[in-house]
Amino acid sequence: MSESGRFITLEGGEGAGKSTHARYIRDWLAARGREAVATREPGGTPLAEAIRAVILRDWPSGMPPMSELLLMFAARQSHVDEAIRPALRRGADVVCDRFVDASYAYQGGGRGVPEARIAALEDMVLGGLKPDLTLVFDVDPRVGLARARRRGEENRFEGEALAFQERVREAYLARARRAPGRYAVLDAGRGLEQVQDELRQVLEARL
Ligand code: TMP
């Protein structure tokens, strides 16, 4: 569990509205007098942001799934040691746009890396650190991809086939089913206001 602040992560496929919802959560916490640190993965420290650029770049011969996974965890180690743990220790809440569940969903579900390999890295890098609450913004990948494209953002994950996006979605939902106490799944296919209404209820109930 987290040390003393609360650790909240946002997950979901492409175009699920996570960045908007992350801002909403940070404002919700600030209105309650909490210091809230907003961050993201891959990224969140200068080193991890540099690794992010390597991960998201289009490499001429692609990237082996294990290289992708190891780079995610290389970035995560810096992020956890230099940003997340220090913030939680001083009592701040951390709102993180994607975290370790994304590795299970994208590298595991999407790319087929065996779950045991991801779990071994999780153990090595996080040593038992788990989010207190993980919000899964669930959206049909066709709807999510269309939104992401309208925003004009397309990284190499967004360029993956629909079948890949379906596997990512299913992996998130399967993880949420396995530990319902730590996850809340929100239907992000609806309008922003409706999703935010439900999000507020979840925050009031769980935090
Ligand atoms: P973003 O677009 O949400 O900022 O994230 C960048 C991409 O990185 C996103 O398409 C999902 C991917 N990703 C993984 O594949 N594994 C991970 O562990 C993380 C944190 C992100």
Side-chain angles (χ1 to χ4, degrees), residues 11-14 18-19 40-43 52 55-56 68-69 72-73 76 97-107 111 151 153 155-158 164-165 168 172:
E11 299 283 0
E14 312 301 329
K18 286 181 293 86
S19 332
R40 69 167 179 184
E41 286 209 344
R52 176 189 176 90
I55 292 171
L56 294 183
E68 194 174 272
L69 179 70
M72 293 292 176
F73 273 95
R76 186 163 293 136
D97 187 340
R98 297 196 188 282
F99 192 60
V100 71
D101 287 288
S103 296
Y104 284 98
Y106 282 80
Q107 283 66 53
R111 306 252 190 250
R151 283 200 311 254
E153 288 168 16
N155 64 37
R156 58 188 190 81
F157 293 95
E158 277 151 356
F164 174 93
Q165 315 290 350
V168 169
Y172 274 132

Side-chain angles (χ1 to χ4, degrees), residues 6 24 28 32 133 196-207:
R6 285 155 315 171
Y24 180 88
W28 187 91
R32 278 150 192 82
L133 174 63
Q196 268 175 3
D197 269 351
E198 192 187 351
L199 176 56
R200 184 175 29 76
Q201 288 169 32
V202 170
L203 296 175
E204 280 165 6
R206 302 274 200 109
L207 293 183

Side-chain angles (χ1 to χ4, degrees), residues 5-145:
R6 285 155 315 171
F7 184 21
I8 302 140
T9 59
L10 293 86
E11 299 283 0
E14 312 301 329
K18 286 181 293 86
S19 332
T20 310
H21 297 308
R23 278 195 295 277
Y24 180 88
I25 298 169
R26 198 191 46 202
D27 294 347
W28 187 91
L29 290 166
R32 278 150 192 82
R34 303 284 309 171
E35 181 194 351
V37 174
T39 185
R40 69 167 179 184
E41 286 209 344
T45 64
L47 171 61
E49 290 290 335
I51 297 172
R52 176 189 176 90
V54 171
I55 292 171
L56 294 183
R57 198 165 134 189
D58 266 315
W59 293 93
S61 54
M63 186 182 281
M66 273 307 291
S67 298
E68 194 174 272
L69 179 70
L70 290 165
L71 285 169
M72 293 292 176
F73 273 95
R76 186 163 293 136
Q77 184 81 71
S78 155
H79 191 210
V80 164
D81 291 355
E82 295 163 37
I84 296 178
R85 280 193 198 276
L88 294 173
R89 264 191 215 119
R90 68 167 190 269
D93 293 332
V94 173
V95 180
C96 190
D97 187 340
R98 297 196 188 282
F99 192 60
V100 71
D101 287 288
S103 296
Y104 284 98
Y106 282 80
Q107 283 66 53
R111 306 252 190 250
V113 174
E115 189 175 327
R117 290 192 172 187
I118 307 174
L121 286 165
E122 177 180 7
D123 186 46
M124 224 184 292
V125 169
L126 302 185
L129 175 72
K130 284 200 192 303
D132 297 293
L133 174 63
T134 295
L135 299 152
V136 177
F137 293 91
D138 179 54
V139 64
D140 180 329
R142 276 166 293 222
V143 174
L145 284 177

Side-chain angles (χ1 to χ4, degrees), residues 1 131-134 175-184 202 205-206:
M1 292 303 283
D132 297 293
L133 174 63
T134 295
R175 286 183 67 72
R177 278 194 299 270
R178 257 153 54 183
R182 182 162 78 73
Y183 294 85
V202 170
R206 302 274 200 109

